[in-house]
Structure formats: structure tokens, C-alpha cells
Amino acid sequence: GAGVSQSPSNKVTEKGKDVELRCDPISGHTALYWYRQSLGQGLEFLIYFQGNSAPDKSGLPSDRFSAERTGGSVSTLTIQRTQQEDSAVYLCASSLRGGTGGNEKLFFGSGTQLSVL
Amino acid sequence: SQKIEQNSEALNIQEGKTATLTCNYTNYSPAYLQWYRQDPGRGPVFLLLIRENEKEKRKERLKVTFDTTLKQSLFHITASQPADSATYLCALAGDGNNRLAFGKGNQVVVIP
């Protein structure tokens, strides 16, 4: 079956432009996560969606970052007025139910490499 | 503050030997701990999950231990092979939330 799909795989943009990154989770997975991975750094949590519940936005680094999940499936991460420090790999993951306390494995996409010039 | 620490130095190991990686955590009380493998240009892939009441978990050549007193997990790859070369990440969640936090990962290089 299909895994988590992310697009584009690479995105080069100019400082100040807006970008949209897309994530298509595994069909039937109710939980969806966005992480950011900078060069040589660990995964930084950004946002978590679980079913119809209000998303956990506690990891978004600034108000330039936003995400939505339409129809409980596809998610879009939007970065407005991009800055050079936004350059990173943006990873999306999904899980079946969004288990409590880390009791459920995550399935990751291959990520979008964002480069802000 | 909460921390998940893994060795930043790559582990170079001869093929056939056992690789052992350490994950230490601070200011967490996880009920579960997970390990993932990440290859260059790819997202992490889940390997193993261990519960706080499990001392050890095995899957093929992989073994994980979880010591909640020491606040530490050990990850072992026995009979290592060049194909095991990758970065391995530990992950756990904070109390009452579903946000999996990850360590920075530990690179393993298996030398033929």
C-alpha cells in the first residue's frame, strides 16, 4: 500500500516568498504530524492533528507558520515571508490513532527539502 | 528542561560485531520509548517500541532495553552488516501528550 507522500520533494524559494508544503498521509490514519529537521539537528516537532480535535500547535516557531488538514486527510504546511533560517527538511508523519504517550509508531514521508535563498 | 541525548560521534564498527547505542533522557517519565532508523534523504523508519514495564525487546538482530531508573535505553545491533549503516534515533513522549520528541540520532558505520 502507499506510504506517506510529500510534495514537492525539493523547493527553492527566495527570502520573503510564501511556500506551501503538502502531505498525503496513509489512508485511514487519523493522526498527522509535521516535524522539521535542520542540518545536523534532530527532529523538531511543529504541529499535530488528531481526528476532529483542535490541533496541537505548540511547536510552531512563529506566526509565519500555519498548517491545516482538510477532511481529515491531506495536510498543508504554509510558511509566509520565508527567512533563510527556515531552510530545512520538513517531514510529515501519520499514525493510525494518534496514541497516548508515544505508544504508537509513526510512518514518515521522505520530506520536503526547503531552501530559502 | 527536557532532554533526549544520544552520542553525537559516529560509531564505526567491524562487520559481524555488536553495535550498542545509548539514549539518555532528562525530565521525562515516558511510558514508552521508540527507536527509528534514518537513511540519508529519507524519513525515519520505525524499528521497535518498548514499554516501561518491559526490560528488553527483541526483533531479529535488534535488541532494546529500557531502564526507567537510569532513564536510559540501550539499542543493540548484533552481527552487524554494512546494510545496517544508518542513523538511529530514539523517541519518546512527554506526560499526557502525543508529541513524540526525538534525540538527534547516532550514526552507525559498519565496516566490511
Side-chain angles (χ1 to χ4, degrees):
Chain A
V4 176
S5 177
Q6 292 189 245
S7 61
S9 55
N10 281 281
K11 177 71 177 178
V12 180
T13 191
E14 293 179 352
K15 178 182 170 181
K17 300 284 189 185
D18 297 352
V19 295
E20 283 190 354
L21 312 180
R22 176 187 167 106
C23 173
D24 209 335
I26 293 172
S27 177
H29 280 196
T30 62
L32 187 147
Y33 309 74
W34 283 98
Y35 286 85
R36 176 168 73 173
Q37 188 172 33
S38 303
L39 193 62
Q41 299 298 310
L43 275 72
E44 176 189 3
F45 168 80
L46 297 177
I47 188 169
Y48 162 69
F49 295 91
Q50 168 53 47
N52 295 321
S53 302
D56 176 352
K57 303 180 182 179
S58 60
L60 294 178
S62 78
D63 58 8
R64 296 186 296 104
F65 288 73
S66 63
E68 62 177 23
R69 188 177 184 193
T70 52
S73 182
V74 171
S75 177
T76 302
L77 177 69
T78 301
I79 309 173
Q80 295 179 308
R81 305 181 302 282
T82 52
Q83 303 294 312
Q84 288 182 330
E85 61 262 29
D86 299 334
S87 297
V89 176
Y90 289 81
L91 289 160
C92 174
S94 69
S95 68
L96 188 58
R97 293 180 301 274
T100 302
N103 69 344
E104 199 171 69
K105 61 185 177 183
L106 270 56
F107 295 81
F108 281 86
S110 291
T112 294
Q113 171 72 64
L114 175 66
S115 300
V116 182
L117 305 179
Chain B
S1 63
Q2 293 180 316
K3 291 181 186 177
I4 303 171
E5 294 178 304
Q6 296 186 254
N7 197 336
S8 58
E9 285 189 26
L11 176 65
N12 295 308
I13 191 160
Q14 208 68 36
E15 182 176 5
K17 301 292 187 184
T18 296
T20 298
L21 306 180
T22 304
C23 174
N24 294 300
Y25 57 91
T26 308
N27 292 326
Y28 284 98
S29 299
Y32 308 90
L33 191 143
Q34 301 186 26
W35 283 88
Y36 288 77
R37 168 183 173 142
Q38 187 172 24
D39 291 283
R42 311 291 293 177
V45 174
F46 171 81
L47 295 175
L48 282 163
L49 179 151
I50 186 166
R51 295 172 172 76
E52 61 179 340
N53 60 355
E54 293 178 312
K55 290 285 192 270
E56 181 180 295
K57 193 83 169 277
R58 291 177 184 260
K59 178 184 174 182
E60 297 173 353
R61 293 183 295 107
L62 307 179
K63 184 179 86 171
V64 170
T65 63
F66 190 11
D67 189 325
T68 55
T69 302
L70 291 179
K71 296 188 180 294
Q72 181 181 83
S73 175
L74 299 180
F75 177 84
H76 306 272
I77 308 172
T78 58
S80 57
Q81 303 169 1
D84 296 327
S85 298
T87 296
Y88 293 86
L89 303 97
C90 67
L92 48 88
D95 295 341
N97 71 61
N98 298 324
R99 300 190 298 272
L100 257 192
F102 285 79
K104 290 186 180 181
N106 197 176
Q107 185 183 10
V108 172
V109 178
V110 181
I111 303 161

